[in-house]
Structure formats: structure tokens, C-alpha cells
PDB file of all heavy atoms in Angstrom:
ATOM      1  N   VAL A   1      14.541  52.730  16.412  1.00  0.00           N
ATOM      2  CA  VAL A   1      13.194  52.910  15.811  1.00  0.00           C
ATOM      3  C   VAL A   1      12.967  51.646  14.985  1.00  0.00           C
ATOM      4  O   VAL A   1      13.689  51.242  14.074  1.00  0.00           O
ATOM      5  CB  VAL A   1      13.090  54.119  14.906  1.00  0.00           C
ATOM      6  CG1 VAL A   1      11.666  54.227  14.273  1.00  0.00           C
ATOM      7  CG2 VAL A   1      13.431  55.420  15.788  1.00  0.00           C
ATOM      8  N   SER A   2      11.788  51.010  15.159  1.00  0.00           N
ATOM      9  CA  SER A   2      11.253  49.902  14.293  1.00  0.00           C
ATOM     10  C   SER A   2      10.092  50.470  13.579  1.00  0.00           C
ATOM     11  O   SER A   2       9.211  51.075  14.135  1.00  0.00           O
ATOM     12  CB  SER A   2      10.912  48.711  15.152  1.00  0.00           C
ATOM     13  OG  SER A   2      12.009  48.188  15.862  1.00  0.00           O
ATOM     14  N   VAL A   3       9.972  50.132  12.239  1.00  0.00           N
ATOM     15  CA  VAL A   3       8.730  50.357  11.412  1.00  0.00           C
ATOM     16  C   VAL A   3       8.167  49.041  11.101  1.00  0.00           C
ATOM     17  O   VAL A   3       8.931  48.141  10.589  1.00  0.00           O
ATOM     18  CB  VAL A   3       9.135  51.126  10.182  1.00  0.00           C
ATOM     19  CG1 VAL A   3       7.857  51.425   9.389  1.00  0.00           C
ATOM     20  CG2 VAL A   3       9.795  52.542  10.550  1.00  0.00           C
ATOM     21  N   CYS A   4       6.956  48.913  11.384  1.00  0.00           N
ATOM     22  CA  CYS A   4       6.249  47.627  11.136  1.00  0.00           C
ATOM     23  C   CYS A   4       5.007  47.831  10.210  1.00  0.00           C
ATOM     24  O   CYS A   4       4.288  48.764  10.362  1.00  0.00           O
ATOM     25  CB  CYS A   4       5.701  47.054  12.474  1.00  0.00           C
ATOM     26  SG  CYS A   4       4.821  45.479  12.440  1.00  0.00           S
ATOM     27  N   LEU A   5       4.960  46.888   9.259  1.00  0.00           N
ATOM     28  CA  LEU A   5       3.804  46.955   8.237  1.00  0.00           C
ATOM     29  C   LEU A   5       3.030  45.641   8.427  1.00  0.00           C
ATOM     30  O   LEU A   5       3.462  44.604   7.996  1.00  0.00           O
ATOM     31  CB  LEU A   5       4.394  47.029   6.859  1.00  0.00           C
ATOM     32  CG  LEU A   5       5.361  48.150   6.501  1.00  0.00           C
ATOM     33  CD1 LEU A   5       6.033  47.875   5.140  1.00  0.00           C
ATOM     34  CD2 LEU A   5       4.533  49.483   6.476  1.00  0.00           C
ATOM     35  N   PRO A   6       1.904  45.652   9.079  1.00  0.00           N
ATOM     36  CA  PRO A   6       0.973  44.519   9.049  1.00  0.00           C
ATOM     37  C   PRO A   6       0.485  44.464   7.499  1.00  0.00           C
ATOM     38  O   PRO A   6      -0.011  45.457   7.002  1.00  0.00           O
ATOM     39  CB  PRO A   6      -0.251  44.850   9.916  1.00  0.00           C
ATOM     40  CG  PRO A   6       0.384  45.982  10.822  1.00  0.00           C
ATOM     41  CD  PRO A   6       1.365  46.752   9.939  1.00  0.00           C
ATOM     42  N   ALA A   7       0.469  43.226   6.914  1.00  0.00           N
ATOM     43  CA  ALA A   7       0.190  43.107   5.580  1.00  0.00           C
ATOM     44  C   ALA A   7      -0.743  41.854   5.205  1.00  0.00           C
ATOM     45  O   ALA A   7      -0.516  40.818   5.766  1.00  0.00           O
ATOM     46  CB  ALA A   7       1.515  43.012   4.682  1.00  0.00           C
ATOM     47  N   ARG A   8      -1.645  42.207   4.319  1.00  0.00           N
ATOM     48  CA  ARG A   8      -2.430  41.129   3.809  1.00  0.00           C
ATOM     49  C   ARG A   8      -2.766  41.358   2.208  1.00  0.00           C
ATOM     50  O   ARG A   8      -3.411  42.318   1.981  1.00  0.00           O
ATOM     51  CB  ARG A   8      -3.769  41.014   4.544  1.00  0.00           C
ATOM     52  CG  ARG A   8      -4.712  39.807   4.131  1.00  0.00           C
ATOM     53  CD  ARG A   8      -6.084  39.881   4.802  1.00  0.00           C
ATOM     54  NE  ARG A   8      -6.001  39.756   6.210  1.00  0.00           N
ATOM     55  CZ  ARG A   8      -5.975  38.570   6.858  1.00  0.00           C
ATOM     56  NH1 ARG A   8      -6.053  37.412   6.077  1.00  0.00           N
ATOM     57  NH2 ARG A   8      -5.927  38.549   8.184  1.00  0.00           N
ATOM     58  N   GLU A   9      -2.155  40.443   1.385  1.00  0.00           N
ATOM     59  CA  GLU A   9      -2.442  40.726  -0.021  1.00  0.00           C
ATOM     60  C   GLU A   9      -1.958  42.011  -0.439  1.00  0.00           C
ATOM     61  O   GLU A   9      -2.795  42.798  -1.106  1.00  0.00           O
ATOM     62  CB  GLU A   9      -3.883  40.327  -0.376  1.00  0.00           C
ATOM     63  CG  GLU A   9      -4.468  39.079   0.181  1.00  0.00           C
ATOM     64  CD  GLU A   9      -3.787  37.821  -0.244  1.00  0.00           C
ATOM     65  OE1 GLU A   9      -3.026  37.838  -1.293  1.00  0.00           O
ATOM     66  OE2 GLU A   9      -3.961  36.817   0.406  1.00  0.00           O
ATOM     67  N   CYS A  10      -0.790  42.414  -0.212  1.00  0.00           N
ATOM     68  CA  CYS A  10      -0.311  43.836  -0.552  1.00  0.00           C
ATOM     69  C   CYS A  10       0.902  43.765  -1.523  1.00  0.00           C
ATOM     70  O   CYS A  10       1.800  44.647  -1.490  1.00  0.00           O
ATOM     71  CB  CYS A  10       0.070  44.511   0.765  1.00  0.00           C
ATOM     72  SG  CYS A  10      -1.278  44.828   1.817  1.00  0.00           S
ATOM     73  N   ALA A  11       1.069  42.667  -2.343  1.00  0.00           N
ATOM     74  CA  ALA A  11       2.225  42.547  -3.193  1.00  0.00           C
ATOM     75  C   ALA A  11       2.432  43.752  -4.160  1.00  0.00           C
ATOM     76  O   ALA A  11       3.481  44.137  -4.513  1.00  0.00           O
ATOM     77  CB  ALA A  11       2.036  41.269  -4.007  1.00  0.00           C
ATOM     78  N   ALA A  12       1.317  44.429  -4.546  1.00  0.00           N
ATOM     79  CA  ALA A  12       1.340  45.482  -5.464  1.00  0.00           C
ATOM     80  C   ALA A  12       2.010  46.719  -4.921  1.00  0.00           C
ATOM     81  O   ALA A  12       2.484  47.579  -5.685  1.00  0.00           O
ATOM     82  CB  ALA A  12      -0.046  45.816  -6.056  1.00  0.00           C
ATOM     83  N   THR A  13       1.939  46.807  -3.544  1.00  0.00           N
ATOM     84  CA  THR A  13       2.400  48.104  -2.964  1.00  0.00           C
ATOM     85  C   THR A  13       3.584  47.958  -1.956  1.00  0.00           C
ATOM     86  O   THR A  13       4.351  48.872  -1.758  1.00  0.00           O
ATOM     87  CB  THR A  13       1.243  48.809  -2.225  1.00  0.00           C
ATOM     88  OG1 THR A  13       0.673  47.904  -1.320  1.00  0.00           O
ATOM     89  CG2 THR A  13       0.240  49.296  -3.249  1.00  0.00           C
ATOM     90  N   VAL A  14       3.702  46.761  -1.339  1.00  0.00           N
ATOM     91  CA  VAL A  14       4.618  46.653  -0.264  1.00  0.00           C
ATOM     92  C   VAL A  14       6.109  46.806  -0.676  1.00  0.00           C
ATOM     93  O   VAL A  14       6.940  47.295   0.085  1.00  0.00           O
ATOM     94  CB  VAL A  14       4.473  45.337   0.458  1.00  0.00           C
ATOM     95  CG1 VAL A  14       4.954  44.144  -0.393  1.00  0.00           C
ATOM     96  CG2 VAL A  14       5.112  45.320   1.766  1.00  0.00           C
ATOM     97  N   GLY A  15       6.407  46.373  -1.961  1.00  0.00           N
ATOM     98  CA  GLY A  15       7.902  46.582  -2.373  1.00  0.00           C
ATOM     99  C   GLY A  15       8.213  48.026  -2.447  1.00  0.00           C
ATOM    100  O   GLY A  15       9.431  48.420  -1.920  1.00  0.00           O
ATOM    101  N   GLN A  16       7.454  48.915  -2.904  1.00  0.00           N
ATOM    102  CA  GLN A  16       7.865  50.294  -2.978  1.00  0.00           C
ATOM    103  C   GLN A  16       7.898  50.846  -1.642  1.00  0.00           C
ATOM    104  O   GLN A  16       8.817  51.734  -1.341  1.00  0.00           O
ATOM    105  CB  GLN A  16       6.763  51.123  -3.772  1.00  0.00           C
ATOM    106  CG  GLN A  16       7.064  52.586  -3.901  1.00  0.00           C
ATOM    107  CD  GLN A  16       5.925  53.381  -4.418  1.00  0.00           C
ATOM    108  OE1 GLN A  16       4.827  52.841  -4.765  1.00  0.00           O
ATOM    109  NE2 GLN A  16       6.007  54.728  -4.329  1.00  0.00           N
ATOM    110  N   ILE A  17       7.031  50.512  -0.740  1.00  0.00           N
ATOM    111  CA  ILE A  17       7.041  50.965   0.586  1.00  0.00           C
ATOM    112  C   ILE A  17       8.321  50.547   1.441  1.00  0.00           C
ATOM    113  O   ILE A  17       9.043  51.415   1.980  1.00  0.00           O
ATOM    114  CB  ILE A  17       5.805  50.505   1.440  1.00  0.00           C
ATOM    115  CG1 ILE A  17       4.543  51.040   0.816  1.00  0.00           C
ATOM    116  CG2 ILE A  17       5.937  50.923   2.875  1.00  0.00           C
ATOM    117  CD1 ILE A  17       3.227  50.544   1.431  1.00  0.00           C
ATOM    118  N   VAL A  18       8.671  49.307   1.131  1.00  0.00           N
ATOM    119  CA  VAL A  18       9.913  48.820   1.813  1.00  0.00           C
ATOM    120  C   VAL A  18      11.129  49.516   1.237  1.00  0.00           C
ATOM    121  O   VAL A  18      12.106  49.833   1.978  1.00  0.00           O
ATOM    122  CB  VAL A  18       9.985  47.280   1.735  1.00  0.00           C
ATOM    123  CG1 VAL A  18      11.346  46.834   2.272  1.00  0.00           C
ATOM    124  CG2 VAL A  18       8.910  46.665   2.592  1.00  0.00           C
ATOM    125  N   ASP A  19      11.166  49.655  -0.031  1.00  0.00           N
ATOM    126  CA  ASP A  19      12.242  50.420  -0.720  1.00  0.00           C
ATOM    127  C   ASP A  19      12.533  51.822  -0.006  1.00  0.00           C
ATOM    128  O   ASP A  19      13.580  52.158   0.337  1.00  0.00           O
ATOM    129  CB  ASP A  19      11.990  50.643  -2.152  1.00  0.00           C
ATOM    130  CG  ASP A  19      12.226  49.333  -2.972  1.00  0.00           C
ATOM    131  OD1 ASP A  19      12.898  48.442  -2.512  1.00  0.00           O
ATOM    132  OD2 ASP A  19      11.763  49.269  -4.106  1.00  0.00           O
ATOM    133  N   ALA A  20      11.475  52.463   0.162  1.00  0.00           N
ATOM    134  CA  ALA A  20      11.505  53.821   0.776  1.00  0.00           C
ATOM    135  C   ALA A  20      12.013  53.749   2.211  1.00  0.00           C
ATOM    136  O   ALA A  20      12.867  54.569   2.715  1.00  0.00           O
ATOM    137  CB  ALA A  20      10.151  54.610   0.667  1.00  0.00           C
ATOM    138  N   LEU A  21      11.539  52.759   2.931  1.00  0.00           N
ATOM    139  CA  LEU A  21      11.891  52.613   4.384  1.00  0.00           C
ATOM    140  C   LEU A  21      13.375  52.210   4.449  1.00  0.00           C
ATOM    141  O   LEU A  21      14.079  52.540   5.407  1.00  0.00           O
ATOM    142  CB  LEU A  21      11.005  51.643   5.053  1.00  0.00           C
ATOM    143  CG  LEU A  21       9.546  52.130   5.130  1.00  0.00           C
ATOM    144  CD1 LEU A  21       8.666  50.915   5.711  1.00  0.00           C
ATOM    145  CD2 LEU A  21       9.394  53.406   6.028  1.00  0.00           C
ATOM    146  N   MET A  22      13.808  51.335   3.551  1.00  0.00           N
ATOM    147  CA  MET A  22      15.140  50.918   3.621  1.00  0.00           C
ATOM    148  C   MET A  22      16.194  52.133   3.343  1.00  0.00           C
ATOM    149  O   MET A  22      17.277  52.137   3.817  1.00  0.00           O
ATOM    150  CB  MET A  22      15.420  49.827   2.591  1.00  0.00           C
ATOM    151  CG  MET A  22      14.745  48.524   2.942  1.00  0.00           C
ATOM    152  SD  MET A  22      15.017  47.808   4.594  1.00  0.00           S
ATOM    153  CE  MET A  22      16.750  47.394   4.405  1.00  0.00           C
ATOM    154  N   ALA A  23      15.698  53.036   2.587  1.00  0.00           N
ATOM    155  CA  ALA A  23      16.553  54.285   2.276  1.00  0.00           C
ATOM    156  C   ALA A  23      16.596  55.059   3.555  1.00  0.00           C
ATOM    157  O   ALA A  23      17.625  55.616   3.853  1.00  0.00           O
ATOM    158  CB  ALA A  23      15.840  55.057   1.095  1.00  0.00           C
ATOM    159  N   LEU A  24      15.541  55.041   4.379  1.00  0.00           N
ATOM    160  CA  LEU A  24      15.490  55.778   5.599  1.00  0.00           C
ATOM    161  C   LEU A  24      16.509  55.073   6.613  1.00  0.00           C
ATOM    162  O   LEU A  24      17.139  55.724   7.330  1.00  0.00           O
ATOM    163  CB  LEU A  24      14.151  55.813   6.301  1.00  0.00           C
ATOM    164  CG  LEU A  24      13.133  56.831   5.687  1.00  0.00           C
ATOM    165  CD1 LEU A  24      11.862  56.703   6.432  1.00  0.00           C
ATOM    166  CD2 LEU A  24      13.649  58.206   5.681  1.00  0.00           C
ATOM    167  N   ARG A  25      16.575  53.736   6.534  1.00  0.00           N
ATOM    168  CA  ARG A  25      17.475  53.054   7.331  1.00  0.00           C
ATOM    169  C   ARG A  25      18.967  53.367   6.980  1.00  0.00           C
ATOM    170  O   ARG A  25      19.735  53.659   7.827  1.00  0.00           O
ATOM    171  CB  ARG A  25      17.264  51.518   7.211  1.00  0.00           C
ATOM    172  CG  ARG A  25      18.066  50.682   8.130  1.00  0.00           C
ATOM    173  CD  ARG A  25      17.834  49.190   7.910  1.00  0.00           C
ATOM    174  NE  ARG A  25      18.708  48.420   8.745  1.00  0.00           N
ATOM    175  CZ  ARG A  25      18.815  47.075   8.649  1.00  0.00           C
ATOM    176  NH1 ARG A  25      17.986  46.403   7.894  1.00  0.00           N
ATOM    177  NH2 ARG A  25      19.721  46.475   9.428  1.00  0.00           N
ATOM    178  N   GLN A  26      19.138  53.459   5.687  1.00  0.00           N
ATOM    179  CA  GLN A  26      20.555  53.835   5.181  1.00  0.00           C
ATOM    180  C   GLN A  26      20.865  55.280   5.701  1.00  0.00           C
ATOM    181  O   GLN A  26      22.025  55.534   5.932  1.00  0.00           O
ATOM    182  CB  GLN A  26      20.555  53.718   3.652  1.00  0.00           C
ATOM    183  CG  GLN A  26      20.507  52.340   3.062  1.00  0.00           C
ATOM    184  CD  GLN A  26      21.874  51.719   3.066  1.00  0.00           C
ATOM    185  OE1 GLN A  26      22.901  52.397   3.126  1.00  0.00           O
ATOM    186  NE2 GLN A  26      21.869  50.304   3.030  1.00  0.00           N
ATOM    187  N   ALA A  27      19.887  56.126   5.788  1.00  0.00           N
ATOM    188  CA  ALA A  27      20.118  57.493   6.188  1.00  0.00           C
ATOM    189  C   ALA A  27      20.289  57.619   7.664  1.00  0.00           C
ATOM    190  O   ALA A  27      20.534  58.696   8.191  1.00  0.00           O
ATOM    191  CB  ALA A  27      19.079  58.341   5.663  1.00  0.00           C
ATOM    192  N   GLY A  28      20.056  56.552   8.446  1.00  0.00           N
ATOM    193  CA  GLY A  28      20.171  56.622   9.840  1.00  0.00           C
ATOM    194  C   GLY A  28      18.871  57.161  10.600  1.00  0.00           C
ATOM    195  O   GLY A  28      18.976  57.349  11.836  1.00  0.00           O
ATOM    196  N   ALA A  29      17.771  57.216   9.881  1.00  0.00           N
ATOM    197  CA  ALA A  29      16.548  57.693  10.593  1.00  0.00           C
ATOM    198  C   ALA A  29      15.785  56.622  11.221  1.00  0.00           C
ATOM    199  O   ALA A  29      15.011  56.875  12.195  1.00  0.00           O
ATOM    200  CB  ALA A  29      15.654  58.431   9.491  1.00  0.00           C
ATOM    201  N   ILE A  30      15.932  55.451  10.802  1.00  0.00           N
ATOM    202  CA  ILE A  30      15.243  54.231  11.495  1.00  0.00           C
ATOM    203  C   ILE A  30      16.261  53.000  11.537  1.00  0.00           C
ATOM    204  O   ILE A  30      17.293  53.066  10.875  1.00  0.00           O
ATOM    205  CB  ILE A  30      13.916  53.770  10.798  1.00  0.00           C
ATOM    206  CG1 ILE A  30      14.259  53.272   9.340  1.00  0.00           C
ATOM    207  CG2 ILE A  30      13.018  54.904  10.681  1.00  0.00           C
ATOM    208  CD1 ILE A  30      13.074  52.753   8.708  1.00  0.00           C
ATOM    209  N   ASP A  31      15.848  51.961  12.280  1.00  0.00           N
ATOM    210  CA  ASP A  31      16.761  50.925  12.481  1.00  0.00           C
ATOM    211  C   ASP A  31      16.308  49.584  11.885  1.00  0.00           C
ATOM    212  O   ASP A  31      17.123  48.699  11.555  1.00  0.00           O
ATOM    213  CB  ASP A  31      17.114  50.665  13.898  1.00  0.00           C
ATOM    214  CG  ASP A  31      17.683  51.909  14.631  1.00  0.00           C
ATOM    215  OD1 ASP A  31      18.847  52.295  14.297  1.00  0.00           O
ATOM    216  OD2 ASP A  31      17.015  52.550  15.387  1.00  0.00           O
ATOM    217  N   GLU A  32      14.994  49.383  11.895  1.00  0.00           N
ATOM    218  CA  GLU A  32      14.433  48.027  11.553  1.00  0.00           C
ATOM    219  C   GLU A  32      13.106  48.259  10.707  1.00  0.00           C
ATOM    220  O   GLU A  32      12.304  49.161  11.002  1.00  0.00           O
ATOM    221  CB  GLU A  32      14.086  47.360  12.820  1.00  0.00           C
ATOM    222  CG  GLU A  32      13.531  45.939  12.720  1.00  0.00           C
ATOM    223  CD  GLU A  32      13.263  45.340  14.022  1.00  0.00           C
ATOM    224  OE1 GLU A  32      12.637  46.018  14.968  1.00  0.00           O
ATOM    225  OE2 GLU A  32      13.501  44.100  14.227  1.00  0.00           O
ATOM    226  N   VAL A  33      12.993  47.384   9.655  1.00  0.00           N
ATOM    227  CA  VAL A  33      11.823  47.371   8.881  1.00  0.00           C
ATOM    228  C   VAL A  33      11.263  45.959   8.936  1.00  0.00           C
ATOM    229  O   VAL A  33      11.877  45.009   8.410  1.00  0.00           O
ATOM    230  CB  VAL A  33      12.062  47.854   7.407  1.00  0.00           C
ATOM    231  CG1 VAL A  33      10.822  47.829   6.588  1.00  0.00           C
ATOM    232  CG2 VAL A  33      12.666  49.215   7.324  1.00  0.00           C
ATOM    233  N   VAL A  34      10.039  45.798   9.447  1.00  0.00           N
ATOM    234  CA  VAL A  34       9.455  44.470   9.584  1.00  0.00           C
ATOM    235  C   VAL A  34       8.105  44.410   8.919  1.00  0.00           C
ATOM    236  O   VAL A  34       7.223  45.398   9.154  1.00  0.00           O
ATOM    237  CB  VAL A  34       9.274  44.143  11.119  1.00  0.00           C
ATOM    238  CG1 VAL A  34       8.568  42.842  11.245  1.00  0.00           C
ATOM    239  CG2 VAL A  34      10.609  44.114  11.752  1.00  0.00           C
ATOM    240  N   VAL A  35       7.856  43.423   8.132  1.00  0.00           N
ATOM    241  CA  VAL A  35       6.612  43.169   7.562  1.00  0.00           C
ATOM    242  C   VAL A  35       6.038  41.921   8.221  1.00  0.00           C
ATOM    243  O   VAL A  35       6.572  40.873   8.221  1.00  0.00           O
ATOM    244  CB  VAL A  35       6.634  42.990   5.981  1.00  0.00           C
ATOM    245  CG1 VAL A  35       5.318  42.440   5.442  1.00  0.00           C
ATOM    246  CG2 VAL A  35       7.098  44.202   5.271  1.00  0.00           C
ATOM    247  N   VAL A  36       4.820  42.121   8.790  1.00  0.00           N
ATOM    248  CA  VAL A  36       4.098  40.997   9.441  1.00  0.00           C
ATOM    249  C   VAL A  36       2.976  40.545   8.454  1.00  0.00           C
ATOM    250  O   VAL A  36       1.971  41.252   8.272  1.00  0.00           O
ATOM    251  CB  VAL A  36       3.542  41.407  10.738  1.00  0.00           C
ATOM    252  CG1 VAL A  36       2.758  40.217  11.331  1.00  0.00           C
ATOM    253  CG2 VAL A  36       4.673  41.806  11.723  1.00  0.00           C
ATOM    254  N   ASP A  37       3.214  39.494   7.736  1.00  0.00           N
ATOM    255  CA  ASP A  37       2.241  38.976   6.723  1.00  0.00           C
ATOM    256  C   ASP A  37       1.261  38.009   7.288  1.00  0.00           C
ATOM    257  O   ASP A  37       1.471  37.210   8.105  1.00  0.00           O
ATOM    258  CB  ASP A  37       3.183  38.242   5.695  1.00  0.00           C
ATOM    259  CG  ASP A  37       2.341  37.812   4.428  1.00  0.00           C
ATOM    260  OD1 ASP A  37       1.478  38.660   3.964  1.00  0.00           O
ATOM    261  OD2 ASP A  37       2.534  36.688   3.983  1.00  0.00           O
ATOM    262  N   ALA A  38       0.048  38.146   6.682  1.00  0.00           N
ATOM    263  CA  ALA A  38      -1.052  37.326   7.081  1.00  0.00           C
ATOM    264  C   ALA A  38      -1.250  36.168   6.009  1.00  0.00           C
ATOM    265  O   ALA A  38      -2.257  35.979   5.470  1.00  0.00           O
ATOM    266  CB  ALA A  38      -2.353  38.125   7.088  1.00  0.00           C
ATOM    267  N   ALA A  39      -0.167  35.405   5.891  1.00  0.00           N
ATOM    268  CA  ALA A  39      -0.267  34.330   4.927  1.00  0.00           C
ATOM    269  C   ALA A  39      -0.832  34.689   3.520  1.00  0.00           C
ATOM    270  O   ALA A  39      -1.598  33.975   2.947  1.00  0.00           O
ATOM    271  CB  ALA A  39      -1.106  33.205   5.436  1.00  0.00           C
ATOM    272  N   SER A  40      -0.405  35.818   3.027  1.00  0.00           N
ATOM    273  CA  SER A  40      -0.902  36.414   1.765  1.00  0.00           C
ATOM    274  C   SER A  40      -0.564  35.412   0.610  1.00  0.00           C
ATOM    275  O   SER A  40       0.528  34.784   0.515  1.00  0.00           O
ATOM    276  CB  SER A  40      -0.267  37.734   1.464  1.00  0.00           C
ATOM    277  OG  SER A  40      -0.498  38.682   2.463  1.00  0.00           O
ATOM    278  N   ALA A  41      -1.593  35.246  -0.183  1.00  0.00           N
ATOM    279  CA  ALA A  41      -1.435  34.295  -1.428  1.00  0.00           C
ATOM    280  C   ALA A  41      -0.875  34.991  -2.617  1.00  0.00           C
ATOM    281  O   ALA A  41      -0.591  34.352  -3.628  1.00  0.00           O
ATOM    282  CB  ALA A  41      -2.800  33.706  -1.696  1.00  0.00           C
ATOM    283  N   ASP A  42      -0.713  36.278  -2.519  1.00  0.00           N
ATOM    284  CA  ASP A  42      -0.272  37.003  -3.769  1.00  0.00           C
ATOM    285  C   ASP A  42       1.271  37.344  -3.792  1.00  0.00           C
ATOM    286  O   ASP A  42       1.728  38.031  -4.662  1.00  0.00           O
ATOM    287  CB  ASP A  42      -1.069  38.348  -3.845  1.00  0.00           C
ATOM    288  CG  ASP A  42      -0.618  39.351  -2.702  1.00  0.00           C
ATOM    289  OD1 ASP A  42      -0.005  38.895  -1.798  1.00  0.00           O
ATOM    290  OD2 ASP A  42      -1.001  40.547  -2.911  1.00  0.00           O
ATOM    291  N   GLY A  43       2.021  36.699  -2.838  1.00  0.00           N
ATOM    292  CA  GLY A  43       3.453  36.934  -2.892  1.00  0.00           C
ATOM    293  C   GLY A  43       3.882  38.091  -2.103  1.00  0.00           C
ATOM    294  O   GLY A  43       5.028  38.502  -2.233  1.00  0.00           O
ATOM    295  N   THR A  44       3.066  38.653  -1.186  1.00  0.00           N
ATOM    296  CA  THR A  44       3.467  39.810  -0.434  1.00  0.00           C
ATOM    297  C   THR A  44       4.807  39.518   0.327  1.00  0.00           C
ATOM    298  O   THR A  44       5.722  40.404   0.269  1.00  0.00           O
ATOM    299  CB  THR A  44       2.342  40.115   0.614  1.00  0.00           C
ATOM    300  OG1 THR A  44       1.230  40.647  -0.181  1.00  0.00           O
ATOM    301  CG2 THR A  44       2.867  41.200   1.514  1.00  0.00           C
ATOM    302  N   ALA A  45       4.991  38.452   0.984  1.00  0.00           N
ATOM    303  CA  ALA A  45       6.121  38.033   1.679  1.00  0.00           C
ATOM    304  C   ALA A  45       7.351  38.071   0.896  1.00  0.00           C
ATOM    305  O   ALA A  45       8.428  38.685   1.324  1.00  0.00           O
ATOM    306  CB  ALA A  45       5.944  36.854   2.527  1.00  0.00           C
ATOM    307  N   ALA A  46       7.336  37.492  -0.189  1.00  0.00           N
ATOM    308  CA  ALA A  46       8.541  37.440  -1.102  1.00  0.00           C
ATOM    309  C   ALA A  46       8.861  38.757  -1.610  1.00  0.00           C
ATOM    310  O   ALA A  46      10.013  39.107  -1.698  1.00  0.00           O
ATOM    311  CB  ALA A  46       8.173  36.425  -2.220  1.00  0.00           C
ATOM    312  N   VAL A  47       7.926  39.525  -2.008  1.00  0.00           N
ATOM    313  CA  VAL A  47       8.190  40.910  -2.462  1.00  0.00           C
ATOM    314  C   VAL A  47       8.840  41.710  -1.381  1.00  0.00           C
ATOM    315  O   VAL A  47       9.886  42.404  -1.698  1.00  0.00           O
ATOM    316  CB  VAL A  47       6.880  41.629  -3.006  1.00  0.00           C
ATOM    317  CG1 VAL A  47       7.192  43.119  -3.233  1.00  0.00           C
ATOM    318  CG2 VAL A  47       6.315  40.949  -4.225  1.00  0.00           C
ATOM    319  N   ALA A  48       8.298  41.729  -0.194  1.00  0.00           N
ATOM    320  CA  ALA A  48       8.847  42.454   0.899  1.00  0.00           C
ATOM    321  C   ALA A  48      10.325  41.961   1.306  1.00  0.00           C
ATOM    322  O   ALA A  48      11.167  42.817   1.585  1.00  0.00           O
ATOM    323  CB  ALA A  48       7.920  42.383   2.163  1.00  0.00           C
TER     324      ALA A  48
END
């Protein structure tokens, strides 16, 4: 299972979302968490 987040200027929310998804990965429910960033200027990529 891959979970994908298309993202544009989502620094305020993407970190919490990825945290929750990484916990699912630890639990064995998913395998991959990918953020596809649209060159966000607010640091979305770094946060994710």
C-alpha cells in the first residue's frame, strides 16, 4: 500500500498528516508515504 499526498503550500498541516501515516506504517497497515510537492514556497517539502 502506498499513500500519496499531492501538496501545494501545506506546511501548516502536512507534518501532522505524515506523522499519523508513519505510525500506520509502523503498525504494518501501509508501506509507503509519498508527498508530491508543487514547488511550495512555505517549506511544505522540508516539513514533510
Side-chain angles (χ1 to χ4, degrees):
V1 178
S2 295
V3 178
C4 180
L5 305 168
R8 183 187 297 273
E9 312 297 342
C10 295
T13 52
V14 73
Q16 178 193 355
I17 296 171
V18 172
D19 284 341
L21 294 174
M22 295 304 293
L24 285 182
R25 184 180 176 186
Q26 290 278 338
I30 64 175
D31 300 292
E32 182 181 44
V33 180
V34 177
V35 171
V36 177
D37 183 43
S40 300
D42 68 349
T44 292
V47 172

